[in-house]
Amino acid sequence: MRLSDIVTRTGDKGETGLADGQRVLKNHPRIDAIGAVDSLNSILGWAIVPGTDNLVDELEKIQQDLFDLGAELAVSSLEGEKLKQNRLDWMNMRIEKMNEDLPVLDEFILPGGTECSARLHLVRTECRHVERILVAVSQTEPVPEFHLSFLNRLSDYLFVLARVVQVQDGNQEKMWQNKK
């Protein structure tokens, strides 16, 4: 799809078009989900900061995945044609590999630490937000189970990656002090 005409005025009254041509209100649950994926993608782009040079390719591929997810949400007939199982398999493998060198967690960690780690935690929480929105959409219309699995796994990946960045930068993770 080529976006050469950005100002169309077709949404001036609070409506927008789904990819199949159907006009819906801009607060339609599916539009909310597509917008949440867009927000997640933008926050992920913001998380790519100096010092993440070795992660740029990996994170930009995830940005491509998020565009694929948005496309499949906009055009149900594309389901499974853009976002593929191999990306979920890749995340599973990366999580397992990254976790090998991390200390075992006995408690929740406080999000933060280095700038990159803090940004990745923010992306992770936005990913969980998108997941909740998509679950809400699934209550009223079909949502591919794979999309929910992908977002769940992406959140796990971002959590582990934030920990890796924190540890690689030589910073101690701060644990939640559960006062019993």
Side-chain angles (χ1 to χ4, degrees):
M1 175 181 282
R2 185 148 193 203
L3 299 175
S4 56
D5 210 6
I6 301 301
V7 179
T8 63
R9 294 176 180 77
T10 59
D12 287 355
K13 294 185 178 166
E15 288 187 347
T16 191
L18 290 173
D20 65 2
Q22 179 186 5
R23 300 295 295 171
V24 295
L25 292 175
K26 288 186 178 184
N27 67 348
H28 185 280
R30 187 162 291 271
I31 298 302
D32 194 28
I34 293 166
V37 170
D38 184 34
S39 180
L40 173 60
N41 205 341
S42 295
I43 294 171
L44 179 56
W46 172 73
I48 302 171
V49 296
T52 58
D53 301 341
N54 59 332
L55 299 172
V56 171
D57 286 343
E58 203 166 296
L59 295 177
E60 285 179 350
K61 284 180 182 161
I62 291 171
Q63 286 188 291
Q64 296 289 339
D65 293 337
L66 291 172
F67 265 102
D68 290 342
L69 174 60
E72 288 190 8
L73 288 172
V75 184
S76 59
S77 64
L78 286 178
E79 182 185 322
E81 289 189 29
K82 294 279 197 193
L83 191 57
K84 302 280 191 190
Q85 179 67 39
N86 67 328
R87 295 301 292 152
L88 188 61
D89 295 341
W90 173 84
M91 273 194 287
N92 284 326
M93 182 269 311
R94 284 292 290 144
I95 291 167
E96 189 175 313
K97 183 77 175 140
M98 289 187 295
N99 243 342
E100 288 175 357
D101 298 324
L102 289 174
V104 175
L105 283 179
D106 295 323
E107 196 52 79
F108 290 105
I109 61 169
L110 299 180
T114 66
E115 182 175 3
C116 183
S117 179
R119 287 181 183 210
L120 289 168
H121 277 294
L122 188 61
V123 178
R124 171 187 59 81
T125 61
E126 184 65 15
C127 185
R128 287 290 185 205
H129 179 239
V130 174
E131 183 181 15
R132 290 189 302 273
I133 289 172
L134 209 51
V135 167
V137 171
S138 75
Q139 303 294 298
T140 59
E141 56 186 275
V143 169
E145 208 174 286
F146 178 75
H147 290 170
L148 296 172
S149 296
F150 179 83
L151 288 167
N152 186 48
R153 198 72 71 255
L154 178 56
S155 177
D156 296 340
Y157 164 85
L158 291 163
F159 175 76
V160 174
L161 184 58
R163 291 191 68 211
V164 166
V165 167
Q166 179 76 358
V167 169
Q168 284 178 345
D169 288 346
N171 292 302
Q172 188 77 22
E173 292 178 305
K174 294 186 180 170
M175 300 296 162
W176 173 45
Q177 296 178 1
N178 186 5
K179 297 175 177 72
K180 297 177 183 176

